[in-house]
Amino acid sequence: MPDYGHDLLFGANIVPHAQRADAVVAAARLAEQAGLDLVTFQDHPYQPALLDTWTLLSYVAAATGTIRLAGNVHPLPLRPPAMLAQAAASLDLLSHGRFELALGSGGRQDAIASMGVPGLPPGQAVDALEEGIRIIRAAWDTGAPGRLTFDGRHHQVEGLRRGPSPAHDIGIWLGAYKPRMLRLTGRLADGWLPSLPHLRSIAEIGEGNAVIDEAAEEAGRSPRDIRRLLNLAEELPPAQLAELALTHGVSVFLLLTGDPGLIRRFAAETVPAVRELVAAERTTVRPGDDRAAADSPGTSLPVTPTPDDGVRLTDVRVWDESTRPTAP
């Protein structure tokens, strides 16, 4: 599978324990101080042992200044899309463009139903998520004419005033595993966010990429429009993370931890080692490597071409010299 060429980002995925609220916020602030790019929090409103993630995100946004923020992931059935669009744009404005929106179709339908929201069969839940994404994007599009009206099977809005517009183009990342969700990711999303422990094997990342890429191309998009993210349950060696980046296109690694020592070590040792390995490989152009040649203009070839001395043994031209491909 390809390296999609995205810049590498590293973050901490922190469990929002309600009884250790101060420690949760402290871990997020430490992640920023240590130099990580992103901090995320699980979103399970039906778990009373956890803080409400939207409240926590707002609090952490006020307590930090540079680190990006996201839920991991928000179950769409528990928040109407029009309201979610307003909340996401507001948090992005308040954090000066540091918020990204990660969504799921709501895998635990029984838990969702316990909060008074009717559950949906898996296929309908994916359809409802697609409708929700379309509403969210339309609500953010304050340059579009008129008010927003959407009459879907699962979600409806009538004459909604658009806005506010986010401070930056918020990425919509989807927690997806099955083909319908993967195809939706390719058609509409900006990122794919699975969790490594929920995959059968690392090879499943490549299989998911193939489905996403095909759906993206069918929708007239480039596969590079979609970031590939990965939740890690434990710290992996730098070489393995670099291989995931270069072979499977993963560009965002989120380590499940709130441990201060692990956050510091991950930021100080693992992150720079992975960046160095990936950077070295990306600047190495191998014969036949079209991706490297296209992505690295100005990169030197590993061989030196023989200069053309202008001598021709015959007047017959077997090809048009003006159409020959040239290296940077």
Short mmCIF file of all heavy atoms in Angstrom, two decimals, residues 3 6-11 36-37 228 230 232 234-247 249-255 265-283:
data_model
loop_
_atom_site.label_atom_id
_atom_site.label_comp_id
_atom_site.label_asym_id
_atom_site.label_seq_id
_atom_site.Cartn_x
_atom_site.Cartn_y
_atom_site.Cartn_z
N ASP A 3 2.48 5.16 0.46
CA ASP A 3 2.69 6.24 1.42
C ASP A 3 1.99 7.45 0.83
O ASP A 3 2.36 7.92 -0.24
CB ASP A 3 4.19 6.49 1.59
CG ASP A 3 4.50 7.75 2.40
OD1 ASP A 3 3.57 8.31 3.00
OD2 ASP A 3 5.67 8.17 2.41
N HIS A 6 1.49 12.37 3.68
CA HIS A 6 1.06 13.36 4.67
C HIS A 6 2.14 13.57 5.73
O HIS A 6 2.93 12.67 6.03
CB HIS A 6 -0.23 12.90 5.37
CG HIS A 6 -1.41 12.81 4.46
ND1 HIS A 6 -2.24 11.71 4.43
CD2 HIS A 6 -1.89 13.67 3.53
CE1 HIS A 6 -3.19 11.91 3.53
NE2 HIS A 6 -3.01 13.09 2.98
N ASP A 7 2.15 14.77 6.31
CA ASP A 7 3.06 15.03 7.42
C ASP A 7 2.65 14.16 8.60
O ASP A 7 1.48 13.87 8.81
CB ASP A 7 3.03 16.51 7.81
CG ASP A 7 1.63 16.99 8.14
OD1 ASP A 7 0.68 16.63 7.39
OD2 ASP A 7 1.44 17.70 9.16
N LEU A 8 3.64 13.72 9.37
CA LEU A 8 3.37 12.83 10.50
C LEU A 8 2.91 13.62 11.71
O LEU A 8 3.46 14.68 12.03
CB LEU A 8 4.62 12.04 10.86
CG LEU A 8 5.18 11.09 9.79
CD1 LEU A 8 6.38 10.33 10.35
CD2 LEU A 8 4.13 10.13 9.28
N LEU A 9 1.90 13.08 12.39
CA LEU A 9 1.39 13.66 13.63
C LEU A 9 1.34 12.57 14.70
O LEU A 9 1.05 11.41 14.39
CB LEU A 9 0.00 14.26 13.44
CG LEU A 9 -0.16 15.37 12.38
CD1 LEU A 9 -1.62 15.75 12.23
CD2 LEU A 9 0.68 16.58 12.74
N PHE A 10 1.61 12.97 15.94
CA PHE A 10 1.61 12.02 17.05
C PHE A 10 0.80 12.61 18.20
O PHE A 10 0.87 13.82 18.47
CB PHE A 10 3.03 11.73 17.52
CG PHE A 10 3.89 11.11 16.45
CD1 PHE A 10 4.55 11.89 15.51
CD2 PHE A 10 4.03 9.73 16.37
CE1 PHE A 10 5.34 11.33 14.52
CE2 PHE A 10 4.82 9.15 15.38
CZ PHE A 10 5.46 9.95 14.45
N GLY A 11 0.06 11.75 18.88
CA GLY A 11 -0.77 12.26 19.97
C GLY A 11 -1.02 11.24 21.05
O GLY A 11 -0.65 10.06 20.95
N LEU A 36 3.81 16.86 21.64
CA LEU A 36 2.91 16.08 20.81
C LEU A 36 1.98 17.00 20.03
O LEU A 36 1.76 18.15 20.39
CB LEU A 36 2.10 15.10 21.67
CG LEU A 36 2.91 13.99 22.35
CD1 LEU A 36 2.00 13.07 23.14
CD2 LEU A 36 3.72 13.19 21.33
N ASP A 37 1.42 16.48 18.96
CA ASP A 37 0.61 17.29 18.05
C ASP A 37 -0.87 17.28 18.38
O ASP A 37 -1.60 18.20 18.01
CB ASP A 37 0.77 16.78 16.61
CG ASP A 37 2.22 16.70 16.19
OD1 ASP A 37 2.83 17.78 16.00
OD2 ASP A 37 2.75 15.58 16.05
N ARG A 228 -4.81 8.80 7.02
CA ARG A 228 -4.93 7.50 7.68
C ARG A 228 -4.37 7.65 9.09
O ARG A 228 -3.19 7.98 9.27
CB ARG A 228 -4.20 6.41 6.90
CG ARG A 228 -4.40 6.49 5.37
CD ARG A 228 -5.84 6.44 4.92
NE ARG A 228 -6.03 7.02 3.61
CZ ARG A 228 -6.42 6.35 2.53
NH1 ARG A 228 -6.67 5.06 2.61
NH2 ARG A 228 -6.58 6.98 1.38
N LEU A 230 -4.32 6.05 13.29
CA LEU A 230 -4.34 4.76 13.96
C LEU A 230 -4.25 4.94 15.47
O LEU A 230 -3.33 5.60 15.98
CB LEU A 230 -3.17 3.90 13.47
CG LEU A 230 -3.18 2.43 13.91
CD1 LEU A 230 -4.40 1.70 13.36
CD2 LEU A 230 -1.90 1.73 13.47
N LEU A 232 -3.30 3.35 18.93
CA LEU A 232 -2.41 2.32 19.43
C LEU A 232 -2.74 2.01 20.88
O LEU A 232 -2.86 2.93 21.69
CB LEU A 232 -0.95 2.78 19.34
CG LEU A 232 -0.46 3.27 17.98
CD1 LEU A 232 0.95 3.86 18.12
CD2 LEU A 232 -0.47 2.13 16.96
N GLU A 234 -0.70 0.25 22.75
CA GLU A 234 0.59 0.24 23.44
C GLU A 234 1.63 0.86 22.54
O GLU A 234 1.45 0.97 21.32
CB GLU A 234 0.98 -1.19 23.81
CG GLU A 234 1.12 -2.11 22.61
CD GLU A 234 1.43 -3.52 23.02
OE1 GLU A 234 1.56 -3.78 24.23
OE2 GLU A 234 1.56 -4.38 22.12
N GLU A 235 2.74 1.26 23.13
CA GLU A 235 3.82 1.88 22.36
C GLU A 235 4.51 0.82 21.51
O GLU A 235 4.91 -0.23 22.02
CB GLU A 235 4.82 2.54 23.30
CG GLU A 235 5.83 3.41 22.60
CD GLU A 235 6.73 4.14 23.59
OE1 GLU A 235 6.74 3.75 24.78
OE2 GLU A 235 7.41 5.09 23.18
N LEU A 236 4.65 1.09 20.23
CA LEU A 236 5.33 0.18 19.32
C LEU A 236 6.72 0.72 18.99
O LEU A 236 6.96 1.92 19.09
CB LEU A 236 4.51 0.03 18.03
CG LEU A 236 3.11 -0.57 18.18
CD1 LEU A 236 2.42 -0.63 16.82
CD2 LEU A 236 3.14 -1.93 18.83
N PRO A 237 7.65 -0.15 18.58
CA PRO A 237 9.00 0.32 18.23
C PRO A 237 8.94 1.31 17.07
O PRO A 237 8.09 1.20 16.19
CB PRO A 237 9.72 -0.97 17.83
CG PRO A 237 8.92 -2.08 18.44
CD PRO A 237 7.50 -1.61 18.48
N PRO A 238 9.87 2.27 17.04
CA PRO A 238 9.89 3.25 15.95
C PRO A 238 9.92 2.62 14.56
O PRO A 238 9.25 3.11 13.64
CB PRO A 238 11.16 4.05 16.23
CG PRO A 238 11.36 3.94 17.70
CD PRO A 238 10.90 2.57 18.06
N ALA A 239 10.66 1.54 14.39
CA ALA A 239 10.75 0.92 13.07
C ALA A 239 9.40 0.40 12.61
O ALA A 239 9.06 0.47 11.41
CB ALA A 239 11.78 -0.21 13.09
N GLN A 240 8.62 -0.13 13.54
CA GLN A 240 7.30 -0.65 13.17
C GLN A 240 6.35 0.50 12.81
O GLN A 240 5.56 0.39 11.86
CB GLN A 240 6.71 -1.48 14.30
CG GLN A 240 5.42 -2.21 13.90
CD GLN A 240 4.96 -3.20 14.97
OE1 GLN A 240 5.63 -3.39 15.99
NE2 GLN A 240 3.82 -3.82 14.73
N LEU A 241 6.42 1.59 13.54
CA LEU A 241 5.59 2.75 13.22
C LEU A 241 5.99 3.34 11.87
O LEU A 241 5.14 3.74 11.07
CB LEU A 241 5.69 3.80 14.32
CG LEU A 241 5.16 3.38 15.69
CD1 LEU A 241 5.31 4.53 16.69
CD2 LEU A 241 3.71 2.94 15.62
N ALA A 242 7.29 3.40 11.62
CA ALA A 242 7.76 3.91 10.33
C ALA A 242 7.27 3.02 9.19
O ALA A 242 6.88 3.50 8.12
CB ALA A 242 9.28 4.00 10.32
N GLU A 243 7.27 1.72 9.41
CA GLU A 243 6.78 0.79 8.38
C GLU A 243 5.29 1.00 8.13
O GLU A 243 4.82 0.95 6.99
CB GLU A 243 7.04 -0.65 8.83
CG GLU A 243 6.58 -1.71 7.85
CD GLU A 243 7.37 -1.71 6.55
OE1 GLU A 243 8.47 -1.13 6.51
OE2 GLU A 243 6.89 -2.32 5.58
N LEU A 244 4.53 1.26 9.19
CA LEU A 244 3.10 1.55 9.02
C LEU A 244 2.89 2.82 8.20
O LEU A 244 1.96 2.91 7.40
CB LEU A 244 2.44 1.69 10.39
CG LEU A 244 2.19 0.39 11.16
CD1 LEU A 244 1.85 0.68 12.62
CD2 LEU A 244 1.07 -0.41 10.51
N ALA A 245 3.76 3.79 8.40
CA ALA A 245 3.65 5.04 7.65
C ALA A 245 4.01 4.84 6.19
O ALA A 245 3.31 5.32 5.29
CB ALA A 245 4.55 6.11 8.28
N LEU A 246 5.09 4.12 5.93
CA LEU A 246 5.61 4.00 4.57
C LEU A 246 4.89 2.94 3.75
O LEU A 246 4.77 3.08 2.53
CB LEU A 246 7.10 3.69 4.63
CG LEU A 246 7.98 4.79 5.24
CD1 LEU A 246 9.35 4.26 5.59
CD2 LEU A 246 8.08 5.97 4.28
N THR A 247 4.41 1.89 4.39
CA THR A 247 3.78 0.80 3.67
C THR A 247 2.26 0.92 3.63
O THR A 247 1.63 0.57 2.64
CB THR A 247 4.16 -0.56 4.31
OG1 THR A 247 5.57 -0.67 4.33
CG2 THR A 247 3.57 -1.71 3.52
N GLY A 249 0.57 3.94 4.79
CA GLY A 249 0.11 5.32 4.69
C GLY A 249 -0.39 5.94 5.97
O GLY A 249 -1.00 7.01 5.94
N VAL A 250 -0.15 5.31 7.12
CA VAL A 250 -0.60 5.89 8.39
C VAL A 250 0.24 7.12 8.70
O VAL A 250 1.47 7.05 8.71
CB VAL A 250 -0.50 4.87 9.54
CG1 VAL A 250 -0.95 5.51 10.86
CG2 VAL A 250 -1.34 3.63 9.24
N SER A 251 -0.41 8.24 8.95
CA SER A 251 0.34 9.47 9.21
C SER A 251 0.02 10.08 10.57
O SER A 251 0.62 11.07 10.95
CB SER A 251 0.08 10.51 8.12
OG SER A 251 -1.29 10.86 8.08
N VAL A 252 -0.94 9.50 11.31
CA VAL A 252 -1.28 9.99 12.65
C VAL A 252 -1.31 8.79 13.58
O VAL A 252 -2.08 7.85 13.37
CB VAL A 252 -2.63 10.73 12.67
CG1 VAL A 252 -2.91 11.26 14.08
CG2 VAL A 252 -2.66 11.86 11.66
N PHE A 253 -0.48 8.84 14.61
CA PHE A 253 -0.41 7.76 15.60
C PHE A 253 -0.86 8.29 16.95
O PHE A 253 -0.30 9.26 17.47
CB PHE A 253 1.01 7.21 15.70
CG PHE A 253 1.51 6.58 14.43
CD1 PHE A 253 2.28 7.30 13.53
CD2 PHE A 253 1.19 5.27 14.13
CE1 PHE A 253 2.75 6.73 12.36
CE2 PHE A 253 1.66 4.68 12.94
CZ PHE A 253 2.43 5.42 12.06
N LEU A 254 -1.88 7.64 17.53
CA LEU A 254 -2.45 8.07 18.80
C LEU A 254 -2.25 6.96 19.83
O LEU A 254 -2.83 5.88 19.71
CB LEU A 254 -3.94 8.38 18.64
CG LEU A 254 -4.25 9.54 17.67
CD1 LEU A 254 -5.72 9.55 17.28
CD2 LEU A 254 -3.85 10.86 18.31
N LEU A 255 -1.44 7.25 20.84
CA LEU A 255 -1.12 6.26 21.87
C LEU A 255 -2.09 6.38 23.03
O LEU A 255 -2.27 7.46 23.60
CB LEU A 255 0.31 6.48 22.37
CG LEU A 255 0.80 5.53 23.46
CD1 LEU A 255 0.80 4.09 22.96
CD2 LEU A 255 2.20 5.94 23.92
N ARG A 265 8.24 9.89 27.30
CA ARG A 265 9.14 9.02 26.53
C ARG A 265 8.69 8.92 25.08
O ARG A 265 9.51 8.97 24.15
CB ARG A 265 9.20 7.63 27.16
CG ARG A 265 10.23 6.73 26.47
CD ARG A 265 10.37 5.38 27.12
NE ARG A 265 9.24 4.52 26.81
CZ ARG A 265 8.49 3.92 27.73
NH1 ARG A 265 8.72 4.12 29.02
NH2 ARG A 265 7.50 3.13 27.37
N PHE A 266 7.39 8.79 24.87
CA PHE A 266 6.85 8.71 23.51
C PHE A 266 7.23 9.95 22.71
O PHE A 266 7.69 9.87 21.57
CB PHE A 266 5.32 8.55 23.59
CG PHE A 266 4.64 8.34 22.26
CD1 PHE A 266 4.94 7.26 21.47
CD2 PHE A 266 3.67 9.24 21.82
CE1 PHE A 266 4.30 7.06 20.24
CE2 PHE A 266 3.03 9.06 20.60
CZ PHE A 266 3.34 7.96 19.81
N ALA A 267 7.06 11.12 23.35
CA ALA A 267 7.36 12.39 22.66
C ALA A 267 8.86 12.59 22.45
O ALA A 267 9.28 13.10 21.41
CB ALA A 267 6.77 13.56 23.44
N ALA A 268 9.66 12.20 23.44
CA ALA A 268 11.09 12.50 23.40
C ALA A 268 11.91 11.47 22.63
O ALA A 268 12.95 11.80 22.05
CB ALA A 268 11.64 12.61 24.82
N GLU A 269 11.45 10.21 22.59
CA GLU A 269 12.25 9.16 21.98
C GLU A 269 11.60 8.55 20.74
O GLU A 269 12.21 8.53 19.66
CB GLU A 269 12.52 8.05 23.02
CG GLU A 269 13.28 8.54 24.25
CD GLU A 269 13.46 7.45 25.30
OE1 GLU A 269 13.22 6.26 24.96
OE2 GLU A 269 13.84 7.77 26.44
N THR A 270 10.38 8.09 20.88
CA THR A 270 9.74 7.40 19.76
C THR A 270 9.43 8.34 18.60
O THR A 270 9.74 8.04 17.44
CB THR A 270 8.45 6.71 20.24
OG1 THR A 270 8.76 5.78 21.28
CG2 THR A 270 7.77 5.98 19.09
N VAL A 271 8.82 9.48 18.90
CA VAL A 271 8.38 10.40 17.84
C VAL A 271 9.54 10.85 16.96
O VAL A 271 9.48 10.72 15.73
CB VAL A 271 7.62 11.59 18.43
CG1 VAL A 271 7.39 12.67 17.38
CG2 VAL A 271 6.29 11.13 19.03
N PRO A 272 10.63 11.39 17.53
CA PRO A 272 11.72 11.82 16.65
C PRO A 272 12.36 10.67 15.87
O PRO A 272 12.80 10.87 14.73
CB PRO A 272 12.72 12.48 17.60
CG PRO A 272 12.35 12.02 18.96
CD PRO A 272 10.90 11.73 18.94
N ALA A 273 12.40 9.49 16.46
CA ALA A 273 12.99 8.35 15.75
C ALA A 273 12.13 7.97 14.55
O ALA A 273 12.66 7.68 13.46
CB ALA A 273 13.12 7.16 16.70
N VAL A 274 10.81 7.98 14.71
CA VAL A 274 9.93 7.65 13.58
C VAL A 274 10.03 8.71 12.50
O VAL A 274 10.12 8.41 11.30
CB VAL A 274 8.47 7.51 14.06
CG1 VAL A 274 7.54 7.23 12.87
CG2 VAL A 274 8.33 6.40 15.09
N ARG A 275 10.03 9.97 12.90
CA ARG A 275 10.14 11.05 11.91
C ARG A 275 11.43 10.91 11.10
O ARG A 275 11.44 11.10 9.88
CB ARG A 275 10.12 12.41 12.62
CG ARG A 275 8.79 12.79 13.26
CD ARG A 275 8.82 14.27 13.69
NE ARG A 275 7.70 14.62 14.52
CZ ARG A 275 6.47 14.92 14.07
NH1 ARG A 275 6.24 14.88 12.77
NH2 ARG A 275 5.52 15.25 14.90
N GLU A 276 12.53 10.58 11.77
CA GLU A 276 13.81 10.45 11.09
C GLU A 276 13.80 9.29 10.10
O GLU A 276 14.27 9.42 8.96
CB GLU A 276 14.92 10.26 12.12
CG GLU A 276 16.32 10.19 11.51
CD GLU A 276 17.40 10.08 12.56
OE1 GLU A 276 17.09 10.17 13.77
OE2 GLU A 276 18.58 9.89 12.17
N LEU A 277 13.24 8.16 10.51
CA LEU A 277 13.19 7.00 9.63
C LEU A 277 12.34 7.28 8.39
O LEU A 277 12.72 6.95 7.26
CB LEU A 277 12.62 5.80 10.39
CG LEU A 277 13.52 5.17 11.45
CD1 LEU A 277 12.73 4.18 12.31
CD2 LEU A 277 14.72 4.47 10.80
N VAL A 278 11.19 7.89 8.60
CA VAL A 278 10.28 8.16 7.48
C VAL A 278 10.88 9.22 6.55
O VAL A 278 10.82 9.10 5.32
CB VAL A 278 8.89 8.59 8.00
CG1 VAL A 278 8.01 9.07 6.85
CG2 VAL A 278 8.23 7.43 8.73
N ALA A 279 11.47 10.26 7.13
CA ALA A 279 12.07 11.31 6.31
C ALA A 279 13.19 10.75 5.46
O ALA A 279 13.34 11.09 4.27
CB ALA A 279 12.58 12.44 7.20
N ALA A 280 14.01 9.87 6.04
CA ALA A 280 15.12 9.29 5.28
C ALA A 280 14.61 8.46 4.11
O ALA A 280 15.16 8.51 3.00
CB ALA A 280 15.98 8.44 6.21
N GLU A 281 13.57 7.69 4.36
CA GLU A 281 13.02 6.84 3.29
C GLU A 281 12.35 7.68 2.21
O GLU A 281 12.46 7.38 1.02
CB GLU A 281 12.03 5.84 3.88
CG GLU A 281 11.45 4.85 2.89
CD GLU A 281 12.48 3.87 2.36
OE1 GLU A 281 13.57 3.75 2.97
OE2 GLU A 281 12.20 3.22 1.33
N ARG A 282 11.66 8.73 2.62
CA ARG A 282 10.96 9.55 1.64
C ARG A 282 11.91 10.33 0.73
O ARG A 282 11.55 10.68 -0.38
CB ARG A 282 10.03 10.54 2.35
CG ARG A 282 8.74 9.90 2.86
CD ARG A 282 7.89 10.90 3.61
NE ARG A 282 6.56 10.35 3.92
CZ ARG A 282 5.64 10.98 4.65
NH1 ARG A 282 5.90 12.19 5.15
NH2 ARG A 282 4.47 10.43 4.87
N THR A 283 13.12 10.59 1.19
CA THR A 283 14.07 11.32 0.37
C THR A 283 14.95 10.40 -0.46
O THR A 283 15.80 10.87 -1.21
CB THR A 283 14.97 12.21 1.24
OG1 THR A 283 15.62 11.41 2.24
CG2 THR A 283 14.17 13.31 1.91
#
